[in-house]
Amino acid sequence: MPNMKVLPLLDAAAEEVAPCCPPLTERPFTAEEAETAARMFKALGDPVRLRLFSAVASHEGGEACVCDISDVGVSQPTVSHHLKKLKEAGLLTSERRGTWVYYRVEPSVLAAMGKLLTIAPAAA
């Protein structure tokens, strides 16, 4: 199994979401913060991946079977490749149930992404 690194988006001990990086307007990113954010945005930089991520995030119940989201204009192996890239970036989690795989966007991921793109209070 390849060496995968999950983005540190949520501190399990904290009640509030701890984003991977400060808001863009707060201060310049460190090299590590920039690398983490770039990995996340790179995964979402492909239109097919963005559609798949959106399909999972907006699916009823907060999770989607791969069988329900694979109609994005590419072959099934390509869908699997893109879902794998989203998982490797820490944007999706998955669970196999029988022959199907179900994908979920953790609420903490969406909240952390939102915090990254907000204006810091001092900059407002």
Side-chain angles (χ1 to χ4, degrees):
M1 177 174 249
N3 185 12
M4 293 186 289
K5 183 177 180 181
V6 175
L7 297 178
L9 296 174
L10 181 65
D11 178 4
E15 284 186 29
E16 238 184 81
V17 174
C20 64
C21 313
L24 291 171
T25 58
E26 185 176 298
R27 62 170 171 76
F29 282 174
T30 65
E32 184 178 330
E33 290 168 341
E35 189 174 315
T36 300
R39 216 176 8 253
M40 181 174 58
F41 286 116
K42 182 177 180 184
L44 291 175
D46 181 278
V48 173
R49 287 187 204 142
L50 189 54
R51 287 184 66 198
L52 288 167
F53 184 74
S54 173
V56 173
S58 65
H59 202 269
E60 186 178 330
E63 71 177 6
C65 175
V66 69
C67 59
D68 294 329
I69 60 169
S70 59
D71 187 21
V72 290
V74 295
S75 67
Q76 190 283 325
T78 304
V79 168
S80 294
H81 166 77
H82 287 301
L83 289 169
K84 177 183 174 187
K85 293 295 185 182
L86 290 167
K87 280 184 61 176
E88 288 174 350
L91 297 170
L92 294 179
T93 59
S94 67
E95 178 184 350
R96 179 172 291 283
R97 298 180 197 155
T99 58
W100 297 110
V101 177
Y102 287 78
Y103 291 89
R104 173 179 294 278
V105 176
E106 295 299 327
S108 62
V109 171
L110 293 177
M113 290 172 64
K115 283 193 173 217
L116 175 66
L117 297 174
T118 59
I119 296 175

